[in-house]
């Protein structure tokens, strides 16, 4: 059977804020999709993160994505859309 590879990928160039995540879920095509998020908490100066990884990986962005993923409305959107979540 092998392993499954997503046909679609989202979030690579767009931080997954609550609004972006909601828009993505509403527009998901049929089939296996990947939504890329790097949630986390702030541990150091964002300036250091930007110098190391660029603007998409700052702690503020990670915290914003964590907030979006923990939003109770997310579960409702998944259920209403018949979206099944798998871990990578």
């Amino acid at each position: 059977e092998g392993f499954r590879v997503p046909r679609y990928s989202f979030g690579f160039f767009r931080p997954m804020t609550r609004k972006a995540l909601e828009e993505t879920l509403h527009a998901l095509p049929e089939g296996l999709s990947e939504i890329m998020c790097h949630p986390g908490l702030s541990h150091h100066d964002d300036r250091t993160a930007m110098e190391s990884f660029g603007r998409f990986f700052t702690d503020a962005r990670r915290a914003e994505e964590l907030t979006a993923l923990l939003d109770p409305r997310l579960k409702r959107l998944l259920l209403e859309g018949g979206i099944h979540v798998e871990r990578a």
Side-chain angles (χ1 to χ4, degrees):
E1 202 177 292
F3 67 95
R4 297 171 23 165
V5 177
R7 183 171 210 167
Y8 307 97
S9 185
F10 302 92
F12 192 74
F13 293 109
R14 180 182 187 192
M16 283 289 118
T17 62
R18 188 194 59 76
K19 182 179 179 200
L21 192 54
E22 184 176 322
E23 290 171 355
T24 300
L25 292 176
H26 281 298
L28 276 180
E30 288 290 322
L32 184 62
S33 293
E34 171 186 29
I35 299 176
M36 188 180 309
C37 293
H38 293 93
L41 300 173
S42 186
H43 294 291
H44 56 72
D45 185 340
D46 271 348
R47 185 178 55 238
T48 304
M50 285 185 70
E51 290 168 0
S52 299
F53 305 110
R55 67 187 176 94
F56 294 111
F57 294 103
T58 64
D59 281 351
R61 293 274 188 194
R62 289 176 183 263
E64 193 172 20
E65 288 188 346
L66 179 62
T67 299
L69 290 170
L70 295 176
D71 189 311
R73 293 171 285 194
L74 177 61
K75 186 174 184 178
R76 188 189 79 239
L77 285 172
L78 294 170
L79 290 170
E80 288 174 358
I83 300 167
H84 177 75
V85 176
E86 295 184 13
R87 294 183 183 179

